Amino acid sequence: MRRNASRGASSTAVDLTTTLVNWSVTGLKIAALAFVVSTAYILYGVYGGHLAGVVEPRIIGNLRLMGQVMALSAALGTICLVVITYAEVAYAVVAGLVGLGFIFGFPLMVAGQVSNEAARAGEIISSWASTTGELIVIVVGVRVLIEIVVFVRDAPQRANKMAEDEGIERPRSTTRRPWYRLSHCWEMPFCHEAIREMCPAYKKRKDCWRIKQGCNCDPYLIESLLRRGSAADISGRDETYMRSDLADQRRAGTERTRECRNCPIFNEHQREKFHLLNPILIAAAVVGLIAAYPGVRRLYVGFIHVMASLAERFAFGTQVPVRDWIQRLDSPAVWGFFYVIVGLLVMSYVLKAVEWAVLVRKVL
């Protein structure tokens, strides 16, 4: 009964997910059509020469309506895109870049085409373009935040899955260590006590991956263990693995049976290191973002001033307040959106890079 209930719940979850994805595909098509039409209408007004003179109230009303449609369709389309491509956050990152392009690019484009008489129309276009970009960035920011939370939460499961993929069984019990200390090789559950006293790594009190010698990679030591009849202390799987490795050795004791990156002891050490580094790196990323805040803020303000100068230079008239339009981007809201999305992306990719370096490439 419980198994049937579990299957029923799983089937229901799959059905709901499939339905949500199907709805999202339809929603994305509708939103994309509305987004393309509204954006094309606005761009036609900008580059079609219609902002070079007096703009009729009817056209201003149309521009406002198209701006609203553009913003709503962009938000809906981004949500649908995130649902459809949920397994790959890179698509959301691309959408976030598009949003930043709307925030920073549209005012500059409008400034180069608007005349004094069309200043009101230009303000409306710039305002709704910024709103469009902000809505996209908000959706992307939420998606990246979820990615970070899930990434940190599932880190132990991924580490165990990597071990299983490498054919390494998890130990039944592990040595308890203080959270700030990594276990030595002889303290790992895969290190066999029967030959620990013979192990050069244990004698020198240096980890086997440091000196490239040790009980699980030294054919001579394993051969000695098996001859002494201590194989009963080892599981059948481990004994098979060691004997198969020894069978390929021409001269026992002259070389290692396998590289450290394929050794269960070293991999257990890497998993310990990853569990230790994960929270430290999250804290370090937050501290780094806080420390970088003043510098990035200055760069952002300088970028806004450069954009304002370019817009003022390429504007058709001298009375149009294009500098004011651009400098509105230096608001707390826009700056907050920008720094939050940058911070989330930095934290996400730092965590992924560390997992790759520690668990995949094992270079740390």
Side-chain angles (χ1 to χ4, degrees):
M1 290 294 291
R2 290 182 180 177
R3 185 174 299 176
N4 293 336
S6 177
R7 289 179 180 176
S10 177
S11 176
T12 302
V14 172
D15 292 341
L16 289 176
T17 302
T18 303
T19 302
L20 180 60
V21 171
N22 292 335
W23 286 353
S24 298
V25 170
T26 303
L28 181 60
K29 293 178 180 178
I30 296 173
L33 178 61
F35 180 76
V36 169
V37 170
S38 57
T39 305
Y41 181 88
I42 292 174
L43 291 176
Y44 176 73
V46 173
Y47 290 103
H50 300 287
L51 301 182
V54 177
V55 180
E56 299 178 16
R58 176 180 61 86
I59 301 299
I60 291 179
N62 290 340
L63 290 173
R64 182 181 291 107
L65 176 61
M66 289 296 104
Q68 294 170 348
V69 172
M70 182 174 67
L72 292 175
S73 61
L76 176 61
T78 306
I79 293 173
C80 294
L81 178 66
V82 166
V83 172
I84 296 170
T85 62
Y86 189 81
E88 181 51 66
V89 74
Y91 292 101
V93 173
V94 172
L97 296 177
V98 173
L100 293 176
F102 269 80
I103 294 174
F104 296 106
F106 249 86
L108 190 59
M109 290 192 303
V110 173
Q113 304 294 327
V114 70
S115 66
N116 298 338
E117 295 82 0
R120 177 57 182 161
E123 289 180 2
I124 291 174
I125 293 174
S126 297
S127 175
W128 281 108
S130 296
T131 302
T132 299
E134 290 168 6
L135 290 174
I136 294 175
V137 169
I138 289 174
V139 175
V140 172
V142 172
R143 173 64 186 93
V144 174
L145 181 60
I146 293 174
E147 177 75 7
I148 293 174
V149 172
V150 173
F151 185 86
V152 174
R153 184 196 65 188
D154 295 343
Q157 289 84 347
R158 283 196 308 277
N160 294 339
K161 181 64 167 57
M162 289 180 185
E164 293 174 1
D165 293 341
E166 293 173 353
I168 301 170
E169 294 181 352
R170 292 286 295 156
R172 296 180 180 178
S173 62
T174 58
T175 304
R176 292 186 178 272
R177 304 288 296 170
W179 69 269
Y180 55 87
R181 288 184 60 186
L182 295 175
S183 299
H184 295 291
C185 64
W186 57 86
E187 297 170 332
M188 296 289 182
F190 286 104
C191 183
H192 306 296
E193 296 183 5
I195 57 174
R196 182 173 298 174
E197 296 298 331
M198 303 170 57
C199 178
Y202 181 73
K203 289 180 179 180
K204 297 177 182 179
R205 294 301 192 270
K206 293 183 179 180
D207 294 315
C208 56
W209 51 85
R210 302 288 185 193
I211 63 174
K212 306 302 181 184
Q213 289 180 303
C215 58
N216 274 21
C217 65
D218 191 322
Y220 177 77
L221 292 177
I222 299 175
E223 188 78 20
S224 300
L225 171 66
L226 297 178
R227 283 202 210 98
R228 289 165 54 187
S230 301
D233 296 332
I234 307 171
S235 66
R237 185 174 189 273
D238 288 340
E239 183 180 352
T240 302
Y241 134 64
M242 289 186 292
R243 286 186 179 278
S244 65
D245 283 341
L246 286 170
D248 296 331
Q249 301 300 314
R250 296 183 178 181
R251 290 189 304 161
T254 59
E255 58 185 71
R256 291 175 292 164
T257 58
R258 57 172 53 188
E259 295 295 325
C260 289
R261 60 179 293 107
N262 298 321
C263 174
I265 294 178
F266 180 69
N267 287 328
E268 180 66 21
H269 170 79
Q270 291 300 101
R271 284 190 289 273
E272 276 195 12
K273 183 186 296 183
F274 178 70
H275 297 329
L276 178 64
L277 287 179
N278 230 11
I280 295 176
L281 285 170
I282 293 174
V286 173
V287 172
L289 290 171
I290 294 174
Y293 183 92
V296 178
R297 176 65 175 160
R298 286 193 294 269
L299 291 174
Y300 179 83
V301 172
F303 176 69
I304 295 299
H305 286 313
V306 170
M307 288 182 61
S309 299
L310 290 174
E312 193 172 43
R313 176 175 180 177
F314 288 103
F316 285 112
T318 58
Q319 303 300 319
V320 180
V322 292
R323 175 175 286 275
D324 294 341
W325 300 352
I326 304 298
Q327 289 182 340
R328 288 176 187 173
L329 296 175
D330 191 17
S331 66
V334 177
W335 161 247
F337 286 129
F338 173 78
Y339 201 67
V340 166
I341 191 69
V342 169
L344 291 175
L345 289 175
V346 168
M347 184 174 295
S348 174
Y349 283 101
V350 163
L351 293 175
K352 288 185 177 181
V354 171
E355 180 174 299
W356 176 83
V358 175
L359 295 179
V360 180
R361 294 299 301 172
K362 301 171 185 175
V363 295
L364 291 181

